[in-house]
Amino acid sequence: EWLALRPAVFVFNHQSGADPFLMCALLRRDFVGIAKAEIRKNPVLRPAFAFADTAFVDRGDRAQSVAALAPAIATLRRGLAILIAPEGTRSSNYAVGPFKKGGFWIAMAARVPIVPIVVHNARDVLPKGGWLMRAATVRVSVLAPIETRAWSPADLDARVADVRERFVAALATSTS
């Protein structure tokens, strides 16, 4: 079953500030998240993310971002999973944004599968810019794991585009 798949890189579309809570409830154990460095300035979220051994990435510093992702391979080799939102940020119109390659590079380098998690309507819980969570029904689609053993740096852009299209297709068939 996909939930027991470790090591793996779990990628999810980022719709809401509630997403980290949803992902923790879904994955439950044996994973480390990757989050933007700005979270360290948030006095409410900083302790929770630090406790969870989150890796922080400065999205404005490419060299630092690549260096921060390198320990993720060691995390995978310890048998844990990585959780990352490849869009990097929530979009204001909730369309799937462009995917950054970091999580895919990690999966390819560690030769572990990618598990796409498509979150439908999490914005109903906490829209971008919102401060209060609301009761709502959120649907999650876990797509088939994608093997990365045959991937290479030369085809990474095409592979990332293919995974992104799977998210777009899954969201297009959403009932919400």
Side-chain angles (χ1 to χ4, degrees):
E1 171 182 294
W2 68 266
L3 182 58
L5 190 57
R6 303 287 192 282
V9 175
F10 292 90
V11 296
F12 69 97
N13 57 308
H14 198 6
Q15 291 189 343
S16 167
D19 291 341
F21 303 106
L22 295 168
M23 292 301 107
C24 286
L26 186 67
L27 296 181
R28 299 184 197 138
R29 61 170 182 77
D30 301 330
F31 72 93
V32 173
I34 297 177
K36 61 185 179 180
E38 295 91 334
I39 295 288
R40 287 186 289 202
K41 296 176 185 172
N42 183 306
V44 175
L45 296 177
R46 180 182 58 233
F49 277 67
F51 179 75
D53 201 23
T54 301
F56 294 101
V57 176
D58 181 351
R59 298 177 299 172
D61 182 344
R62 180 168 162 71
Q64 184 279 335
S65 294
V66 171
L69 295 178
I73 295 170
T75 296
L76 292 166
R77 290 196 174 127
R78 290 192 337 251
L80 300 175
I82 296 293
L83 174 67
I84 189 167
E87 294 164 288
T89 193
R90 292 169 283 157
S91 86
S92 55
N93 66 3
Y94 304 110
V96 178
F99 277 13
K100 298 178 186 311
K101 292 185 268 191
F104 301 94
W105 180 85
I106 292 166
M108 179 182 64
R111 301 172 53 89
V112 300
I114 291 170
V115 180
I117 301 173
V118 183
V119 181
H120 306 263
N121 65 307
R123 62 186 172 269
D124 295 343
V125 175
L126 185 64
K128 186 172 183 170
W131 289 96
L132 296 174
M133 289 191 193
R134 300 180 283 219
T137 301
V138 176
R139 190 167 62 89
V140 175
S141 303
V142 180
L143 306 183
I146 301 165
E147 192 54 60
T148 64
R149 292 181 190 274
W151 288 20
S152 72
D155 66 12
L156 187 59
D157 287 341
R159 301 288 189 161
V160 171
D162 174 64
V163 175
R164 184 184 175 281
E165 284 305 312
R166 294 177 192 211
F167 276 85
V168 170
L171 287 164
T173 62
S174 178
T175 59
S176 299

